Amino acid sequence: MAHRVTFIPGDGTGPEIAEATKRVLEGAGVEFDWDQQEAGIDVYESGGKPLPDETLQSIRDNGVAIKGPTTTPVGSGFRSVNVALRKELDLYSCQRPCKAYEGVRTRFPETDIVIVRENHEDLYAGIEYEMGSEDAQKLRECISALGSEIREDAGISIKPISVYGTTRIVESAFKYAKDNGRSKVTAAHKANIMKFSDGLFLKIATEIAEKHPEIEFEERIIDNLCNQLVSRPEEYDVIVLPNLYGDIVSDLGAGMIGGLGMAPGGNIGDDIAVFEATHGSAPKYKGQNKVNPMALMLSGVMMLRHLGEREAADRLENAIAEVIRKGEKVTYDMKPTRDDPTAVGTSEVADAIIEEMNS
Ligand code: NAD
């Protein structure tokens, strides 16, 4: 039976890479019943909401979506579609595999890690008080009554980390490890300094690890983790982190595997999963058939595995890996220099991958 999946092309370069991704997903031999929906700046500028209700409903109904990037204009007053999607659909686990395929230009060819980032809590919870505001003053007074002082000229961001949020994210990291044949989970934190937020994260992670003895568990202080990732990346496997560290280490991981054009992702909840690349809409390249579709294609590989289509996922991933290894039919960002005249366009990459799957 065909998989009914919500398909959101997005805006900027999104529609080009989404179309290329759709073609390779179909080329992998899986039947889809695409439910195409809009999101982003184009629908907003034509009078709609950046994240229309029908789009949200479609994802709720289908349980699975693949999405091209969407622009968040600076100062427009519209909330990021991605943040809204994660909140509305309770997609609490952001999963980002970072694998350096042979042929990619990287100083870290042994990298094969998976970042599992908590999506809702931590300093990104949006609980902030502006310097000099009445609320900041009230909070300062409260904190002063508790025996600590905050300077009057300080802005304040609150960092909540809960048992509930940590349990969900750490369980999702162990589930990812089991489902994908991974052998180790590392929890990253700064519990030596933030004893009651990161300390709680570490305590809960350690307790949950005891329930999964078949998967190795270790913990690392976040600064030490960053150091070790760029000196001994082969020692790491699945890494679970609170929101802020997860955000930063995701980009570090993307840099280690050849750049944003290669970094896939999925935002996963209990019943809903939305797959999308780590990168944004790269609007300056819109309509030029230029940018690398592989990050969204590899997000598609994750989606195939999520749908239980493991053989097709392997077929597509192997074909992508082979095109990268050959190094001919790849976009400008994967060539030795960015102005390499042999670089091909977005849709030609899809052609090459489909040809590889059929050979
Ligand atoms: P970006 O990721 O869109 O682009 C930054 C640069 O990275 C580009 O100029 C390009 O040089 C390179 N790049 C990105 N994707 C590439 C690809 N597929 N192939 C080759 N090179 C690629 O980041 P930005 O310019 O900071 O953001 C543009 C817009 O995207 C903003 O409005 C931002 O809010 C939004 N954004 C969306 C998402 C999402 O939809 N998931 C994620 C991040 C940013």
Side-chain angles (χ1 to χ4, degrees):
M1 213 180 72
H3 296 283
R4 188 155 171 82
V5 169
T6 304
F7 176 76
I8 306 168
D11 61 45
T13 53
E16 300 158 53
I17 58 173
E19 186 54 35
T21 299
K22 194 187 208 183
R23 284 173 54 216
V24 299
L25 284 168
E26 289 170 352
V30 177
E31 265 190 61
F32 289 97
D33 172 13
W34 300 112
D35 180 4
Q36 182 157 336
Q37 299 289 336
E38 293 178 301
I41 198 164
D42 296 343
V43 50
Y44 175 71
E45 284 179 352
S46 59
K49 290 189 197 171
L51 178 58
D53 296 340
E54 307 83 69
T55 303
L56 269 175
Q57 195 52 46
S58 158
I59 304 173
R60 284 198 182 99
D61 292 344
N62 297 326
V64 183
I66 187 153
K67 172 187 168 295
T70 44
T71 304
T72 310
V74 178
S76 76
F78 92 62
R79 178 160 84 129
S80 153
V81 167
N82 307 302
V83 173
L85 269 178
R86 286 172 209 164
K87 287 234 157 87
E88 294 286 339
L89 302 173
D90 195 17
L91 306 174
Y92 57 85
S93 177
C94 179
Q95 305 179 352
R96 290 180 168 167
C98 298
K99 177 171 171 169
Y101 292 93
E102 188 190 339
V104 157
R105 286 176 303 113
T106 171
R107 294 179 191 171
F108 311 99
E110 305 88 4
T111 310
D112 183 6
I113 59 177
V114 182
I115 311 295
V116 178
R117 164 190 172 192
E118 201 284 324
N119 258 344
H120 294 330
E121 300 199 311
D122 194 357
L123 285 164
Y124 287 33
I127 311 172
E128 298 204 276
Y129 300 92
E130 191 179 358
M131 182 199 73
S133 67
E134 206 177 304
D135 285 350
Q137 176 57 22
K138 279 189 210 157
L139 188 58
R140 285 182 53 246
E141 284 164 14
C142 257
I143 288 172
S144 176
L146 294 171
S148 298
E149 298 301 328
I150 295 180
R151 284 180 59 93
E152 196 178 351
D153 58 354
I156 307 168
S157 299
I158 304 284
K159 173 177 166 128
I161 290 196
S162 70
V163 173
Y164 175 73
T166 305
T167 303
R168 297 205 296 177
I169 194 64
V170 176
E171 285 288 9
S172 88
F174 276 98
K175 180 171 182 336
Y176 185 98
K178 274 185 207 172
D179 290 352
N180 292 280
R182 299 273 176 166
S183 57
K184 183 164 78 173
V185 171
T186 303
H189 61 86
K190 191 82 183 174
N192 50 331
I193 304 295
M194 283 163 279
K195 298 186 194 308
F196 301 132
S197 49
D198 285 25
L200 185 63
F201 183 88
L202 176 59
K203 175 176 176 287
I204 301 298
T206 308
E207 284 170 12
I208 291 170
E210 284 167 13
K211 293 198 275 166
H212 303 281
E214 67 285 15
I215 306 278
E216 193 188 336
F217 174 74
E218 63 181 15
E219 45 106 353
R220 287 283 181 279
I221 292 178
I222 185 66
D223 34 359
N224 184 25
L225 176 85
C226 291
N227 179 328
Q228 293 195 358
L229 272 179
V230 293
S231 47
R232 306 200 291 274
E234 67 282 1
E235 289 183 9
Y236 289 91
D237 195 343
V238 175
I239 306 172
V240 61
L241 314 95
N243 206 336
L244 174 63
Y245 310 143
D247 192 10
I248 297 167
V249 175
S250 290
D251 261 45
L252 176 66
M256 291 169 71
I257 59 161
L260 281 170
M262 287 303 301
N267 287 298
I268 317 287
D270 286 335
D271 306 308
I272 299 176
V274 176
F275 296 89
E276 64 175 344
T278 297
H279 65 73
S281 56
K284 69 179 175 196
Y285 297 127
K286 177 180 176 174
Q288 295 179 25
N289 187 39
K290 182 174 171 86
V291 297
N292 191 350
M294 286 179 175
L296 191 62
M297 290 175 172
L298 290 166
S299 310
V301 169
M302 292 174 74
M303 182 178 82
L304 288 173
R305 295 207 170 104
H306 177 85
L307 292 169
E309 298 284 359
R310 296 201 160 249
E311 252 176 61
D314 291 347
R315 192 175 313 130
L316 177 53
E317 185 178 9
N318 291 340
I320 294 171
E322 196 51 22
V323 168
I324 297 171
R325 198 189 59 75
K326 289 180 180 165
E328 289 160 15
K329 302 206 172 137
V330 293
T331 45
Y332 74 100
D333 54 309
M334 301 192 72
K335 292 285 185 182
T337 58
R338 296 214 149 205
D339 55 357
D340 189 319
T342 67
V344 303
T346 309
S347 70
E348 287 72 31
V349 173
D351 296 341
I353 291 168
I354 292 168
E355 201 180 310
E356 200 63 57
M357 284 192 283
N358 292 334
S359 67

